[in-house]
Amino acid sequence: MDMHEDPVSGDVGSWRRYGPPTLPKPLAAALEAFAERGYDGTSIREIASRAGLSVPGLYHHYPSKQALLVSLTTTVMQDLLDRSRRALAEAGPTPSEQFDAVVESLLRFHMVRRDQAFVASTEMRSMEPASRAAFIALRDEQQRMLDGIVEDGVETGAFTTPFPRDASRAVTTMCVGVASWYRPDGPSSPDDIVHRYLVIARSTVGAR
């Protein structure tokens, strides 16, 4: 393998790079409407209008508003997981390097894909039980990735927190929260925010 190739994607650092969102038109329309009006405040007719479709045309692809929400949130979580896995695969062998990579991936995702992340987080309450359980399983997979890194760090002495699971969840909550306030035209660049929040995250787990 070429030393510059990512073993997952073949493109080193691709998890840091974001192009424009590539959601299908119905999902993009649903995202826009849910972000503005909330799931309960959005009608299927409004989503169809935003997507440039008739209501029957929209139903041909997505049989209900719930199906749109589930498809959207599943797409969001799969994108986040894919980027986190690639970040972890490229990181160095130590828990400290792996921690920094996964936390940075979480932060960048919740800045660049803030509307998607915000809707996925806030509208989990609107999912039907089976769909909510499937979404939570994906979210838990992301959390377990960071939990394992922090636990390894405590075992090797890289991290000193006496509460690794709690510290790991606190870090994730902090990263997710960025989606609620970050704005591209704000005073801080994504790189600045990543730098500051990594300092906070390292302190939370007691990095040496």
Side-chain angles (χ1 to χ4, degrees), residues 82-178:
D82 174 64
R83 290 177 182 277
S84 294
R85 292 182 189 120
R86 283 185 278 148
L88 181 59
E90 287 185 20
T94 68
S96 295
E97 292 168 308
Q98 294 169 358
F99 179 80
D100 282 5
V102 173
V103 170
E104 180 183 347
S105 178
L106 281 167
L107 286 167
R108 291 192 184 278
F109 186 89
H110 285 86
M111 285 187 279
V112 181
R113 296 286 188 252
R114 64 192 185 285
D115 286 347
Q116 294 184 25
F118 180 75
V119 167
S121 176
T122 59
E123 295 299 348
M124 181 177 67
R125 63 193 174 190
S126 301
M127 296 178 189
E128 294 173 355
S131 299
R132 186 184 304 117
F135 177 82
I136 289 172
L138 292 174
R139 188 190 64 181
D140 288 351
E141 183 180 346
Q142 173 69 58
Q143 185 61 56
R144 285 194 300 271
M145 187 185 306
L146 195 61
D147 289 348
I149 293 168
V150 175
E151 289 168 353
D152 287 348
V154 170
E155 289 180 7
T156 61
F159 304 145
T160 61
T161 176
F163 310 111
R165 287 292 183 94
D166 297 300
S168 177
R169 280 158 175 72
V171 169
T172 298
T173 300
M174 177 184 71
C175 295
V176 170
V178 169

Side-chain angles (χ1 to χ4, degrees), residues 191-208:
D191 287 346
D192 290 336
I193 293 169
V194 166
H195 172 74
R196 291 203 299 268
Y197 271 60
L198 276 176
V199 171
I200 297 169
R202 291 168 188 150
S203 178
T204 301
V205 298
R208 293 188 181 277

Side-chain angles (χ1 to χ4, degrees), residues 12-80:
V12 170
S14 61
W15 57 272
R16 287 190 175 99
R17 295 196 291 275
Y18 288 82
T22 57
L23 293 171
K25 282 187 178 181
L27 291 188
L31 171 63
E32 185 180 79
F34 294 160
E36 290 178 10
R37 307 171 68 87
Y39 177 82
D40 289 335
T42 299
S43 69
I44 199 75
R45 186 173 299 278
E46 179 181 357
I47 295 171
S49 176
R50 288 176 185 247
L53 296 169
S54 65
V55 172
L58 179 61
Y59 279 141
H60 177 72
H61 299 284
Y62 299 92
S64 66
K65 187 170 71 166
Q66 181 72 194
L68 283 159
L69 177 63
V70 170
S71 183
L72 175 62
T73 54
T74 300
T75 298
V76 171
M77 280 306 305
Q78 288 176 340
D79 185 16
L80 174 59

